[in-house]
Amino acid sequence: MASIFSRIVAGEIPSWKVAEDDRYYAFLDINPLAEGHTLVIPKQEVDYIFDLDEETYTGLWQFAASVAKAVQEVIPCKRVGVAVLGMEVPHTHIHLVPLQTEGDLDFRKEKKHLSPERFAEIARAIAVAFNQQTV
Ligand code: AMP
């Protein structure tokens, strides 16, 4: 059965998309640690990041770097933190989390509750920043 993230890529489940190309997809995490918390995935469904083939693996990090720059343009932060967990969804994904302090990357802390309008606004702004950067 397709992973929930493959179903997002296929458009069967909605997402707040921020970036896409033929091989990768980025969208807002629905339970964000901070505004702008984004997930970056390969469209190819592989559970564990270190099982990706080398080309997909390096391409994923390059794509994530471009997305992270767009996130930082939109969400004021000291750094965009990076985490790879995969404890919940068995489809490789990189978490990009805007950080003010190191505690902002603590996945045990309570998640932010954002309105659908706020998610949409953030996603749109990151998408604009991403598209301006890559054209
Ligand atoms: P983990 O697999 O431990 O890295 O956690 C999976 C992450 O995916 C969590 O932060 C969830 O909030 C997030 N997530 C799960 N389902 C969705 C969804 N449909 N849209 C956006 N984010 C999701």
Side-chain angles (χ1 to χ4, degrees):
M1 205 177 78
S3 76
I4 188 167
F5 290 170
S6 287
R7 296 184 66 202
I8 283 175
V9 171
E12 294 167 12
I13 294 175
S15 68
W16 280 287
K17 180 169 100 172
V18 305
E20 180 176 17
D21 71 6
D22 55 332
R23 303 181 65 195
Y24 305 103
Y25 191 93
F27 55 107
L28 297 182
D29 193 304
I30 37 163
N31 294 304
L33 286 169
E35 287 198 343
H37 181 169
T38 297
L39 302 176
V40 184
I41 67 171
K43 290 185 176 177
Q44 184 191 4
E45 188 177 321
V46 172
D47 176 1
Y48 189 41
I49 191 167
F50 298 125
D51 288 334
L52 289 173
D53 66 80
E54 193 176 328
E55 195 195 338
T56 306
Y57 177 84
T58 53
L60 175 66
W61 285 105
Q62 282 166 354
F63 191 79
S66 297
V67 175
K69 286 173 190 157
V71 168
Q72 192 156 16
E73 267 185 51
V74 171
I75 307 292
C77 59
K78 289 197 176 146
R79 297 268 164 151
V80 172
V82 173
V84 178
L85 286 82
M87 306 305 285
E88 194 188 308
V89 179
H91 183 144
T92 294
H93 51 283
I94 296 172
H95 293 260
L96 299 176
V97 183
L99 303 180
Q100 300 302 340
T101 73
E102 64 181 24
D104 294 339
L105 204 49
D106 181 352
F107 280 80
R108 292 165 300 190
K109 79 176 196 182
E110 201 189 334
K111 307 301 184 294
K112 293 261 185 266
H113 299 285
L114 306 180
S115 67
E117 292 75 21
R118 184 65 184 143
F119 273 115
E121 186 179 30
I122 293 168
R124 217 167 19 242
I126 296 172
V128 167
F130 179 83
N131 289 325
Q132 280 173 350
Q133 182 190 69
T134 53
V135 284

